[in-house]
Amino acid sequence: MQTSQQLLKHYFGYDTFRYPQEEIIQSVLDGKDTLALLPTGGGKSVCFQIPALMKEGICIVVSPLIALMKDQVMQLKKRDIKAAAIFSGLSYSEIDIILDNCQFGYYKFLYVSPERLKTEIFIERFKRMNVNLIAVDEAHCVSQWGYDFRPPYLEIAEIKKFHPSVPIIALTASATPTVQNDITDKLQLKKATIFKKSFLRNNLSFVVRREEAKYPKLLDIIQKLKGSGMVYVRNRNKTKDVAEYLTKNKINADFYHAGLSTQERNTKQENWINNKTQVIVCTNAFGMGIDKPNVRFVVHLDIPESLEAYYQEAGRAGRDGKLSYTVMLFTQSDIDYLWEKNIAKFPPMDVVKNIYNAVCNHLGIAVGSGKMLTYDFDMSDFCTLFKLDATTVYNCLKILQQENYMQLSESIYMPSRAIFKIDSLNLYKYEVANSSYSAIIKALLRMYGGILDHYIKISESQIARVINITETEVVKQLKFLQRSKILTYIPANDKPTILLLNERLHDNNLRIDTKYLQQRKQVIETQLKAMIYFVEQSKICRQTIICNYFGEKDVEKCGKCDICLEEKKKLEANEEFKKIKEYILLKTNDNWVKIDDILPKNAHFTLQLYKEVIRFMLDEKLLQTNEKNEIKSV
């Protein structure tokens, strides 16, 4: 059995853990329910992957983000760790085979969307799995007080009863004290050990500017800061507009949003990660799961809807520990828009019901059918066909999702998959009897090991090249073999989907909890007020506000945000400040001096000013300090 340190080196290539990863891992190994609050880029996945690798059995990872699940499974497979994911878009037979393999010990990790937890097929297999750990990623989604509540997360506590001795580790990057309490309550964590890493980012400079001419100011920021960067905007059209503006002004920029094809998104993302593109202009669809250490700046041209969202997005800067900048440019109209958008989030209930019916009719779902089935859904086409406003439709779908009726997923690329339905002996007999399909059968067996046992990703173009026929002919032959019940063939798909979480209901039976919606509205309004206060105020250190919001008190000023820098300018212009600075430099020129011996014993104001000067001089590296609370000039 390898130690956690050895596994870290072997699989992940790191020599040492970051604080408090090792302590979190030990808590899990001790069988304790654990809540880990680590900021964006804090290495949350290692905290459950290492202990799961050290124990016999499988780790169930609950995550709401399909793209993130797919990315983590891919990363684990690259490290030669058996992992799979179940989410909307997979066929019933694919899910069946994955769960079979989990039950019989083939996989070490199973990533599953929360909607799948209550399905009969999952529950029955889950009961028989040798589960060593349940990991709940994005755990703030369990709380109705959080900024991204997902009702299916409440099912996690339900499945725990089938493996009551298995510990749960809940992980999140952003949770207020209220949300932290709600997580432990809703997940029924027993005497949970809670680990919190400070929300303070010492290498980040938070800057907020009221700015009408945003584009020229953005250009000025990028030209001054240089290096790799991200620009967040509100909508898809704006990503392209801003990227084109920057390109015209000789900045190597590109745009990204969820409406692009998967191939386009992957290419743009890879170019930026590999520094072929300097600046990526994006919506909040970009950034999850991306660990790019050398991001020197993150600029927000629009105000995020909560401090949680802002902190996650801004936190993608400076993961290498070097000084980086996060800048927000805003106008009064931006603030007005946020309030208007909040009102639009809660359309009248008759509108919600009409959208529900229109979607079900559009997808051809009869009353009493469709439960846990996935349907391709192009919202743009739907809105055009029914002459509906896209924002209204989106907000209605969000309500229907939170009421546990349906779930909208952005387009996720699902490559073509296939599996033979008959064993090798019968396949050989079929091949002999049907020589015209011999070439494609041989190619599938030769190119895709394991295709007799489980679904394998296939490439029609590669098969076409190998057997020297057209790609169209390959698809035709695969479909014929499927009709002949020789194999199951699922063509590639790159469309947004809707997962019906329950069977379609008649109008009269569609229940919307208006009391709960009112509560959600209040939560969102509270978050908006906190965000707007952060933007508009001009007296309190930005990082102090963020840390206090997340329950971290007694935080010293960062010395790097726009508020602190402005305060420093005023201090330096103060004649009394200059005198105190010269006095301290003189006193600490050759000797270590106790801070208490320098501080005056008289008026409170003077004492505070001395403290400000000392803090300023330490920040500016004019002074050094030691463990004895002594200072000396540098």
Side-chain angles (χ1 to χ4, degrees):
M1 176 69 73
Q2 288 183 298
T3 65
S4 59
Q5 199 91 27
Q6 289 168 329
L7 288 170
L8 182 72
K9 179 66 176 175
H10 177 75
Y11 286 113
F12 303 96
Y14 298 114
D15 293 315
T16 56
F17 288 101
R18 297 183 218 169
Y19 176 79
Q21 286 176 327
E22 200 163 14
E23 290 79 0
I24 294 169
I25 288 166
Q26 191 56 54
S27 174
V28 174
L29 291 173
D30 291 339
K32 298 175 182 175
D33 285 345
T34 304
L35 171 59
L37 286 92
L38 298 177
T40 303
K44 291 187 289 294
S45 57
V46 165
C47 295
F48 64 82
Q49 288 171 350
I50 292 283
L53 288 167
M54 294 179 73
K55 301 167 79 172
E56 283 189 21
I58 187 171
C59 173
I60 307 297
V61 186
V62 183
S63 173
L65 303 164
I66 296 175
L68 199 53
M69 280 197 277
K70 290 182 72 176
D71 180 67
Q72 290 209 2
V73 167
M74 182 182 69
Q75 294 300 329
L76 287 168
K77 286 181 175 177
K78 281 182 181 177
R79 296 181 172 108
D80 202 26
I81 298 170
K82 302 291 186 186
I86 294 177
F87 45 80
S88 57
L90 295 178
S91 68
Y92 183 91
S93 58
E94 284 179 288
I95 294 169
D96 190 45
I97 290 172
I98 290 171
L99 290 173
D100 257 353
N101 285 325
C102 290
Q103 184 182 330
F104 296 114
Y106 180 78
Y107 291 115
K108 194 67 186 173
F109 293 91
L110 174 64
Y111 285 75
V112 59
S113 58
E115 292 77 20
R116 296 285 157 182
L117 300 179
K118 63 179 180 179
T119 60
E120 188 177 343
I121 185 174
F122 176 82
I123 291 170
E124 289 307 311
R125 306 298 177 80
F126 178 74
K127 289 176 185 177
R128 298 194 287 270
M129 288 180 200
N130 179 21
V131 180
N132 65 25
L133 179 63
I134 298 171
V136 183
D137 203 7
E138 307 296 331
H140 56 268
C141 293
V142 81
S143 173
Q144 60 187 344
W145 307 109
Y147 74 103
D148 195 18
F149 175 52
R150 308 284 182 101
Y153 259 66
L154 300 174
E155 302 293 332
I156 299 169
E158 290 297 309
I159 66 163
K160 176 75 188 293
K161 66 187 178 188
F162 300 117
H163 293 283
S165 62
V166 172
I168 292 181
I169 176 171
L171 308 108
T172 179
S174 50
T176 63
T178 303
V179 172
Q180 292 168 34
N181 292 334
D182 216 22
I183 291 170
T184 57
D185 178 48
K186 295 296 192 298
L187 293 179
Q188 296 176 20
L189 303 184
K190 297 173 184 174
K191 297 179 181 177
T193 307
I194 300 176
F195 294 90
K196 299 180 192 178
K197 191 171 182 180
S198 174
F199 286 89
L200 190 66
R201 291 287 300 275
N202 289 319
N203 65 313
L204 283 192
S205 173
F206 288 84
V207 178
V208 179
R209 290 274 186 266
R210 191 182 287 268
E211 183 65 58
E212 296 295 335
K214 290 185 182 181
Y215 285 20
K217 186 63 178 178
L218 171 64
L219 182 63
D220 181 51
I221 290 166
I222 294 171
Q223 288 171 338
K224 283 180 180 175
L225 296 180
K226 303 186 177 357
S228 182
M230 305 173 73
V231 179
Y232 279 105
V233 296
R234 182 180 298 127
N235 59 54
R236 296 176 179 183
N237 291 337
K238 199 169 177 180
T239 62
K240 190 175 181 181
D241 291 344
V242 175
E244 286 177 352
Y245 171 81
L246 294 175
T247 302
K248 284 177 186 174
N249 285 279
K250 299 180 180 171
I251 300 293
N252 181 5
D254 201 354
F255 66 97
Y256 180 107
H257 57 71
L260 299 167
S261 71
T262 302
Q263 185 175 351
E264 286 177 304
R265 295 203 308 270
N266 288 344
T267 300
K268 289 169 183 282
Q269 180 174 301
E270 287 302 313
N271 285 342
W272 180 72
I273 288 172
N274 295 320
N275 300 312
K276 292 178 183 176
T277 301
Q278 181 195 355
V279 179
I280 193 82
V281 185
C282 53
T283 61
N284 59 9
F286 186 82
M288 278 289 184
I290 295 173
D291 190 11
K292 182 173 166 65
N294 64 333
V295 179
R296 294 279 69 87
F297 59 88
V298 171
V299 180
H300 282 86
L301 290 186
D302 297 300
I303 306 172
E305 294 177 18
S306 68
L307 274 172
E308 288 96 332
Y310 172 68
Y311 182 74
Q312 280 204 345
E313 291 162 11
R316 289 175 183 133
R319 291 189 181 184
D320 55 7
K322 295 179 181 177
L323 180 62
S324 303
Y325 296 84
T326 173
V327 183
M328 191 191 306
L329 305 178
F330 79 99
T331 63
Q332 183 58 45
S333 62
D334 292 330
I335 294 172
D336 296 339
Y337 172 82
L338 278 181
W339 286 116
E340 290 166 10
K341 188 178 179 183
N342 182 49
I343 294 168
K345 277 184 178 180
F346 300 92
M349 288 307 102
D350 60 330
V351 175
V352 177
K353 290 183 178 183
N354 288 340
I355 296 296
Y356 175 82
N357 281 327
V359 169
C360 290
N361 291 337
H362 179 62
L363 299 176
I365 306 169
V367 172
S369 65
K371 183 176 180 180
M372 293 310 293
L373 294 180
T374 301
Y375 302 85
D376 292 340
F377 180 73
D378 188 318
M379 195 159 79
S380 177
D381 287 349
F382 171 76
C383 292
T384 302
L385 183 65
F386 285 84
K387 297 179 181 176
L388 294 167
D389 173 63
T391 302
T392 302
V393 171
Y394 179 78
N395 287 327
C396 287
L397 290 175
K398 288 293 286 183
I399 288 173
L400 290 166
Q401 176 171 300
Q402 290 181 342
E403 291 290 312
N404 238 15
Y405 288 118
M406 56 177 61
Q407 180 190 19
L408 173 69
S409 296
E410 296 284 5
S411 56
I412 299 291
Y413 179 64
M414 298 291 290
S416 298
R417 291 96 72 203
I419 182 175
F420 280 111
K421 297 178 73 173
I422 57 177
D423 59 30
S424 54
L425 179 60
N426 285 313
L427 186 59
Y428 174 72
K429 289 177 181 177
Y430 181 87
E431 190 183 337
V432 170
N434 300 270
S435 57
S436 57
Y437 294 94
S438 176
I440 195 168
I441 290 171
K442 280 187 168 69
L444 286 167
L445 291 170
R446 187 168 60 251
M447 294 170 68
Y448 304 107
I451 195 169
L452 285 163
D453 303 313
H454 49 261
Y455 279 89
I456 295 289
K457 295 174 187 175
I458 64 170
S459 167
E460 292 88 344
S461 59
Q462 286 180 356
I463 296 168
R465 285 195 296 271
V466 167
I467 60 177
N468 200 27
I469 61 175
T470 65
E471 193 173 332
T472 304
E473 181 61 27
V474 167
V475 172
K476 185 179 175 182
Q477 291 193 22
L478 287 170
K479 287 181 176 179
F480 177 83
L481 290 172
Q482 174 157 276
R483 288 196 301 273
S484 303
K485 299 184 178 179
I486 301 303
L487 59 70
T488 299
Y489 166 57
I490 304 172
N493 191 11
D494 187 21
K495 296 177 181 176
T497 61
I498 274 187
L499 170 66
L500 212 65
L501 299 172
N502 287 288
E503 67 273 4
R504 181 184 177 178
L505 299 173
H506 191 275
D507 272 6
N508 298 333
N509 298 323
L510 192 70
R511 298 283 182 264
I512 305 291
D513 188 344
T514 52
K515 186 178 178 182
Y516 158 72
L517 286 179
Q518 187 59 35
Q519 189 181 69
R520 283 298 299 163
K521 189 174 182 180
Q522 289 171 359
V523 169
I524 292 170
E525 283 179 1
T526 301
Q527 291 166 347
L528 272 182
K529 287 175 183 176
M531 185 74 242
I532 292 168
Y533 172 73
F534 175 84
V535 167
E536 289 190 316
Q537 71 85 34
S538 58
K539 293 182 179 179
I540 305 171
C541 165
R542 302 281 179 198
Q543 293 228 38
T544 298
I545 291 176
I546 291 171
C547 291
N548 288 348
Y549 181 79
F550 290 114
E552 195 174 333
K553 307 300 180 183
D554 302 320
V555 178
E556 288 192 3
K557 297 175 184 177
C558 71
K560 297 180 180 69
C561 71
D562 57 319
I563 306 293
C564 289
L565 292 174
E566 188 62 32
E567 195 174 275
K568 283 181 180 180
K569 280 183 187 177
K570 290 177 182 176
L571 273 175
E572 288 183 273
N574 185 306
E575 287 301 321
E576 188 66 21
F577 175 92
K578 292 177 184 177
K579 290 177 184 176
I580 295 170
K581 179 180 166 186
E582 288 170 10
Y583 169 74
I584 292 171
L585 284 173
L586 185 66
K587 290 280 286 183
T588 60
N589 188 29
D590 296 315
N591 305 305
W592 286 101
V593 180
K594 284 188 176 296
I595 292 177
D596 286 343
D597 292 342
I598 288 180
L599 295 175
K601 306 294 187 284
N602 53 7
H604 174 73
F605 173 77
T606 308
L607 178 65
Q608 286 302 112
L609 185 55
Y610 265 79
K611 287 180 178 179
E612 290 287 345
V613 175
I614 291 170
R615 188 180 293 117
F616 170 85
M617 294 175 74
L618 287 169
D619 287 343
E620 296 298 312
K621 303 292 188 289
L622 298 172
L623 291 177
Q624 55 187 317
T625 185
N626 62 21
E627 67 279 358
K628 297 178 182 177
N629 204 29
E630 295 173 331
I631 52 175
K632 181 183 177 183
S633 58
V634 176

